[in-house]
Structure formats: structure tokens, C-alpha cells
Amino acid sequence: MAIISALAIAALLALILSNRVSPVAALILVPVVAATMIGLAAEIPAYVASGLSKIAPVAAMFVFAILFFGIMTDAGLLLPLVNLVLRLVGERPTRIAVGTAALALVIHLDGSGAVCFLVTIPALRPLYDQLELDRRVLACTASMAAGVNFLPWTGPTVRASAALKIPALEIFTPMAGVQACGLVFIFAVAWWLGLREERRIAAGLPRPVGGGGVAMALAEEPSAHGGSDALASLRRPRLFWINAVITLIVIGSVISGRIDPAVAFMVGTSVALIVNYPGGKHQRDRLDAHAGAALSMAAILFAAGAFVGIMNGAGLIAAMAQATTAHIPQGIGGHISVLLGVLSMPLSLVFDPDSFYFGVLPVIVKVGEQFGTAPVAIGRAALLGQMTTGFPVSPLTPATFLVAGLSGIELAAHQRFAIPWLFAATLVMVLAALLIGVLPL
């Protein structure tokens, strides 16, 4: 089972990264074949149903979030924000890239990657398009800023705290300096990526553009571009402040956690349609204009739910975790926290957060204790990349598909571009943790 699980994960990553198979097909067919190979074909429908039940609220949120922000963009809500950003950062790619990271970091302070990307990317993508900047830089800088954030209330830290029965502050507090080092690194990378864009534009080279799949569906949205008469007719400048209040209420409701995100965006979409485009025909036209992007995103999210449901339900993830930890050589057992820190980001590509923190991490802790490593050190090592820097590129998290789709690039293009930088951020933080003394060598 462990071998089949590893082959399934490898096949999934290879198919997606090579761009030979759509993410939807790969996410559905790979686990179906794996479960069939271990004789659990009859159980696949139940596993899929379990996975879909968990992903349904997330899919609903993303679908209606895409509709909501699409409608608000059509109405012209983001135009003043784009103009404000232009005044603040000018038209220098270095300042724009750094500003992207700063905006994403501030929005991600609540710990929600989905909200971070839903707010940051639609706000800045028109600016990137206006200046012909590489959208992969937009996706990468936003991902880095959101990834180097493991504050006590973020998902990975909460899961590590619950799994290890250690207070979240005890895990995080000694790592504040480590996170600061990671932030310095990502802002330096953002500046460098912006500098590369400056040089590319100065050299007259064309902007790399991904196409197809969700990226193409979103890239073709009319709201992503401006200047045509048709788009001008959709603008509602007199309703700007009303739309701004509606948007702030929706985003505030999501961030506060008092209202389910799916409900907030569903109600917000309905209100936005009625306020900006009275009449059934106008409202249907706006929904049709963004239906392609929303449907493509929903298909991928439900496929991801099926993948996780089958892999977890069939015990494939657990089998691979046990086999991996059982074969750790004795010679490196005493350095298990450092090893985990280095591998934490790549592990996000093969383990979803719940499977890792509640299934894999306790096993690693037991192995570490045999070599004298404290559980809290292993918990801290995991946070240096496992679903922190790793979550914006993992095929097991809906946010990955969201950041690629909203940026208008292919998933494979986003992963190839962002993974090296995100992995480098993890390595920088591991080194900082060793120098500070957070991780035992």
C-alpha cells in the first residue's frame, strides 16, 4: 500500500506538472486506479462521497467568491484601488512586486489563504496586465507572503498544537525571529523578481503567458481588461461607495469567522447583482460572463475532494507515512527535526494538512523521542514548510488552484515558477532556526 500510495502521488504530480493531463482528470483517475489496485474498488463511491462532503463548503465559497469579485470588478470597484496602488508604487516593477508581497502579508494576518488570494490578486492583476508584467510574479509573491506566516491562529499551527497537545504560543513564540528572517527573504525575492521584469521590459521581450484550463477561463474574463465600450457600459461609478461597503461587509464577515464564508459570498453576490444590475436579463448576463471561471474552479475543487477522500479512506496516505518513518536510518535519527524542517515544504505536495498533522506528525514525534528529540522541536520544524510555504503550490489544497486561476496562469506554470522560491524560503528559515537555537542540530 505504501508503494502504491507513493506511486499515486508521484503520478499525480508528474501529470499535473507536465501539463499532459488536466488537473481534474488526474485528481480523479489517479486515486481510483490506486484504490482499485489494492482491491478497494467497491469502496470508492463511499470514499468519494466522504471527500466531497468535506470540500463542498469550500467549493461553494470559491465559486461565489469568483462571481462576487467578478461582478464588483465589472462595476469598477477595483479601479480606484488600482489607481491608488499606481500612485503609491508608481510603475516600477520592483516596487509593484514588493507592494504585492506587502498587501498579501497584511491580508493574510487572519490566517486564511483563500481570503488573501481572493482580495490581493483581483486587486493587483489589472495593474500587472496594464504594465505587461509576468502574472507568475503576482502569483509567486502573493504565495510567498502568505506562506511565510505560521502565526498561532493559522491552520498549521493550530493543527500542530492540537496533535501534539502543546499550546500554540509555546510552539510559535521562539520562532518569531525565524518568521522575521523568512519575511526579509521573501521581500528580497519580490524585489529581485520585479527587477527581472524591469530588465525584460527594457529589453523588449514579450510577457510569458500560460493558457488553457482554469487559467484561460479566468484570463478571458472581460473584467480582467479595460478600455472597451462594452466594459465602460458595465461600470457603476455612482455606486462605488455602496459597492465598497458591501465588499467590506462581506470580507469582514469572512475574516471575523462569525458567518460561514460560503454564506457570506452567496449573499454578497446576490446583493451585488441586484444593486448594480437590476433586471433578470442583466443579472443572467453577468453570471454567464463569469460562469466559465466559476465552473472550472468548482470542477477542480470537487476533483481534489475526491482525491483526498479516496487516498485517506483507503488508508494509502497512512500507509505511506508509516513506511516512511519506519525506514529512517539510525544515523540521522538524532537530527530528525532538521531533516523534517528541510523536507516540510515538499511534504505539502504529498500530504494534506489534516493527514500530516494528525496522522504523520505524531508518528514522527514518537520516532524523534527515541532519539531524544523533544516533540515541540518536531512541531516547530513541521511549521517551516508543511502547509505554510507549501500550501500555495500543493495540489491537495484548494488555495493552489485559486491563486493560479485568479492570476490567469496555468497551474503547472505557477508550480514550476513558485516552488523553487517557496522551498528556498523554507531552507532560509531552517538555517535561521538552527542559528537562533530553535531547532537542535
Side-chain angles (χ1 to χ4, degrees):
M1 287 181 65
I3 293 174
I4 291 175
S5 178
L7 291 174
I9 296 294
L12 176 70
L13 295 176
L15 289 172
I16 292 178
L17 289 173
S18 67
N19 204 28
R20 294 183 178 181
V21 177
S22 71
V24 171
L27 287 165
I28 294 173
L29 295 179
V30 167
V32 167
V33 172
T36 301
M37 291 176 65
I38 61 175
L40 294 177
E43 305 297 328
I44 289 176
Y47 297 151
V48 171
S50 175
L52 293 181
S53 66
K54 295 178 181 178
I55 205 68
V58 179
M61 181 193 74
F62 284 171
V63 166
F64 280 94
I66 289 173
L67 294 176
F68 176 78
F69 284 108
I71 292 167
M72 286 302 189
T73 302
D74 290 343
L77 176 66
L78 297 178
L79 290 179
L81 177 59
V82 171
N83 293 333
L84 174 62
V85 172
L86 274 173
R87 289 196 297 271
L88 292 176
V89 304
E91 295 187 355
R92 289 201 60 180
T94 50
R95 298 176 65 182
I96 292 172
V98 171
T100 302
L103 179 60
L105 177 63
V106 171
I107 296 175
H108 194 253
L109 289 177
D110 74 314
S112 173
V115 172
C116 171
F117 299 140
L118 284 167
V119 175
T120 302
I121 295 176
L124 293 177
R125 180 175 159 182
L127 176 59
Y128 275 72
D129 288 345
Q130 177 180 333
L131 300 177
E132 291 293 315
L133 300 180
D134 189 347
R135 294 186 192 135
R136 295 177 302 173
V137 174
L138 169 61
C140 181
T141 51
S143 297
M144 288 191 300
V148 183
N149 178 19
F150 39 82
L151 293 169
W153 53 85
T154 57
T157 307
V158 170
R159 287 182 176 90
S161 173
L164 303 181
K165 305 298 188 294
I166 299 173
L169 284 176
E170 183 178 340
I171 297 175
F172 170 77
T173 301
M175 297 181 66
V178 175
Q179 180 167 311
C181 291
L183 292 175
V184 171
F185 174 77
I186 65 106
F187 278 108
V189 171
W191 177 86
W192 167 248
L193 292 176
L195 181 61
R196 288 202 319 189
E197 285 300 285
E198 285 187 8
R199 294 173 176 172
R200 177 185 61 79
I201 293 173
L205 298 176
R207 176 178 70 168
V209 178
V214 178
M216 179 59 72
L218 286 172
E220 292 176 346
E221 285 295 318
S223 60
H225 310 282
S228 69
D229 293 337
L231 287 176
S233 68
L234 298 176
R235 306 303 187 206
R236 299 293 186 266
R238 296 181 179 180
L239 299 176
F240 172 80
W241 290 111
I242 295 177
N243 286 331
V245 170
I246 293 172
T247 302
L248 289 175
I249 291 175
V250 171
I251 294 176
S253 300
V254 173
I255 293 176
S256 69
R258 295 183 178 180
I259 300 178
D260 185 272
V263 175
F265 280 115
M266 290 173 74
V267 174
T269 299
S270 303
V271 174
L273 279 173
I274 294 173
V275 169
N276 290 283
Y277 305 103
K281 182 181 184 304
H282 291 304
Q283 293 169 11
R284 285 192 296 272
D285 288 343
R286 288 302 86 217
L287 291 175
D288 289 344
H290 302 284
L295 180 60
S296 297
M297 181 62 64
I300 288 181
L301 294 178
F302 283 122
F307 178 85
V308 175
I310 294 173
M311 295 295 287
N312 282 333
L316 291 166
I317 295 293
M320 186 167 64
Q322 293 174 1
T324 300
T325 55
H327 289 82
I328 296 178
Q330 292 289 324
I332 64 173
H335 309 290
I336 193 169
S337 61
V338 177
L339 178 63
L340 177 59
V342 171
L343 297 178
S344 57
M345 184 271 169
L347 287 174
S348 297
L349 302 176
V350 296
F351 295 114
D352 68 279
D354 290 330
S355 295
F356 180 85
Y357 282 102
F358 296 116
V360 179
L361 191 61
V363 177
I364 299 177
V365 166
K366 291 180 180 179
V367 175
E369 287 178 333
Q370 298 177 4
F371 296 95
T373 302
V376 69
I378 293 177
R380 292 168 183 163
L383 292 178
L384 297 178
Q386 216 292 327
M387 288 303 165
T388 49
T389 58
F391 91 90
V393 290
S394 172
L396 303 178
T397 58
T400 298
F401 304 99
L402 186 66
V403 68
L406 291 175
S407 300
I409 59 177
E410 287 287 351
L411 173 62
H414 167 56
Q415 289 176 317
R416 286 194 297 266
F417 189 89
I419 283 177
W421 295 114
L422 290 165
F423 187 39
T426 288
L427 297 180
V428 167
M429 290 191 292
V430 170
L431 179 60
L434 288 171
L435 293 177
I436 295 174
V438 173
L439 294 183
L441 184 60

